[in-house]
Amino acid sequence: MRKIQMVDLGSQYQKIQKEIDNAVIDVIHSTQFINGPEVKNFQNALEEYLGVRNVIPCANGTDALQVAMMGLGLKPGDEVITTSFTFVATVEVIALLGLTPVLVDVFPDTFNIDPDALKRAITIKTKAIAPVHLFGQCSDMEAIMQIANDHNLFVIEDTAQAIGSDFIFKDGSRKKAGTIGQVGATSFFPSKNLGCYGDGGAIFTNDDKLAETLRIVVNHGMQVRYYHDSIGVNSRLDSVQAAILKVKLRYLDDYATARRKAADFYDNAFANNPHLITPARSNFSTHVFHQYTLVTKGINRNKLQEFLMSKEIPAMIYYPVPMHMQKAYIDPRYKEGDFPVTEMLSNSVISLPMHTELDEEQLNYITKNVLEFVNQ
Ligand SMILES: *Cc1c(COP(=O)(O)O)cnc(C)c1O
């Protein structure tokens, strides 16, 4: 049996090695490492795939979120609502810009933001909502956009974990994750569903005027060379990464299919087990399974992780500490117990290996060992 990894980038690379190698070597021969034609080519390909008017490539997903908030003109003191159960980046950039993060709880079955809790968190200072499409499926964007429209708020979609997933509206129409709010932000970190071989990110928007502003922000606040009309940042996707991403974008839907197949295998193996709750699939979103995350019940989650490690099965806790309990974000407004669902999840979730290259032998071995521990 091949070694089991949380993410198997090596086996994935081997299948497309020639294409990737050629793309990289072409960039090296061109010596156009920054802002070369490959960046524009990838940008165009991603715009077409997502059905969005503008993609602005940048250096990483955290920058994508920061640039989005800068481009929207959010000012210190403005409140941005996001979730207490997420990767730190979303909250980090809000705090870095001097904005006020306002946290709300999530649903226990999808791990995504609860629109009713969101509505209750709105104050006179609220300017934006930053839903995170966690683990590979969309938050309830129809409900969120309705709330945003009613209260005149921007929506910044953190789609770092859900690129390629479809939001399905009540009328049956679909839009890609990250293209529904004013702006979407994603990451091309190697382990993400569309990952490059280093750092990368992008911002999406259908608003041409906002796109122009975002392009200025990522380029030192500069439109005309060496004239700086606003404070910006330096955030670029390099040409080598863009060339790799252009190859991998062609496989993104196949990758999602492979991930869903592994998720189906897990779901079947764990169905009706009293100690394991399998991840819910929303009827308003397709699931691209960035992670396969179980909620455990009545077992010692950390001991399960240790047991799996002893069988050479990696498993991770995403995320062990809720945002309001992180040292850096301690805030007198919040205390333990304020976000009971998030806190329950942090204490009970476990994510199993999930990637495009899991085979049946590996899946059998993983599920057999999980069941051996929980049923003992
Ligand atoms: C990975 C991730 C980010 C940050 O992306 P980087 O490219 O690592 O900066 C932001 N938000 C979420 C939800 C993520 O998973």
Side-chain angles (χ1 to χ4, degrees), residues 60 63 71 156 168 177 182 248 265 276 283 305 344 352 356 374:
N60 58 67
D63 274 10
I156 303 148
I168 306 160
Q182 274 70 38
K248 289 188 70 180
F265 192 102
L276 301 171
N283 52 13
Q305 186 185 25
M344 177 277 287
L352 298 180
T356 58
V374 302

Side-chain angles (χ1 to χ4, degrees), residues 4 6 74 121 132 168 187 192 211 218 235 253 270 296 300 314 330:
I4 297 175
M6 277 309 280
L74 301 183
V132 181
I168 306 160
S187 163
K192 298 281 153 91
V218 294
S235 190
D253 287 341
F270 303 141
T296 62
N300 186 323
I330 293 284

Side-chain angles (χ1 to χ4, degrees), residues 59-65 86-90 92 132-135 158-162 185-192 198-201 290 319:
N60 58 67
T62 310
D63 274 10
L65 288 163
T86 181
F87 179 62
V88 69
T90 336
E92 181 179 55
V132 181
H133 304 320
L134 206 71
F135 299 155
D158 182 342
T159 188
Q161 300 191 3
T186 205
S187 163
F188 304 124
F189 187 83
S191 64
K192 298 281 153 91
D199 274 310
H290 177 60
Y319 295 95

Side-chain angles (χ1 to χ4, degrees), residues 43-203:
Q43 176 189 313
N44 293 341
L46 189 57
E47 283 166 355
E48 185 169 332
Y49 174 83
L50 293 171
V52 71
R53 290 183 58 84
N54 304 280
V55 164
I56 298 96
C58 66
N60 58 67
T62 310
D63 274 10
L65 288 163
Q66 178 176 335
V67 168
M69 290 180 200
M70 291 171 76
L72 289 169
L74 301 183
K75 293 280 177 312
D78 289 350
E79 291 181 356
V80 181
I81 302 175
T82 189
T83 125
S84 43
F85 190 63
T86 181
F87 179 62
V88 69
T90 336
V91 179
E92 181 179 55
V93 300
I94 297 171
L96 260 180
L97 293 173
L99 314 172
T100 306
V102 173
L103 303 176
V104 302
D105 217 341
V106 295
F107 288 122
D109 56 347
T110 62
F111 316 110
N112 276 329
I113 196 163
D114 176 346
D116 285 329
L118 191 169
K119 210 188 292 181
R120 287 195 297 273
I122 294 171
T123 74
I124 196 102
K125 290 183 182 163
T126 309
K127 287 285 152 50
I129 308 167
V132 181
H133 304 320
L134 206 71
F135 299 155
Q137 69 184 337
C138 296
S139 309
D140 187 350
M141 287 305 293
E142 205 156 10
I144 291 168
M145 292 310 290
Q146 184 64 54
I147 295 167
N149 289 337
D150 291 348
H151 295 84
N152 203 16
L153 307 174
F154 296 122
V155 174
I156 303 148
E157 294 176 68
D158 182 342
T159 188
Q161 300 191 3
I163 191 161
S165 93
D166 284 340
F167 184 81
I168 306 160
F169 291 84
K170 290 198 185 90
D171 67 5
S173 63
R174 291 172 175 233
K175 278 188 184 165
K176 288 283 177 200
T179 68
I180 302 158
Q182 274 70 38
V183 51
T186 205
S187 163
F188 304 124
F189 187 83
S191 64
K192 298 281 153 91
N193 289 37
L194 180 59
C196 58
Y197 292 1
D199 274 310
I203 312 151

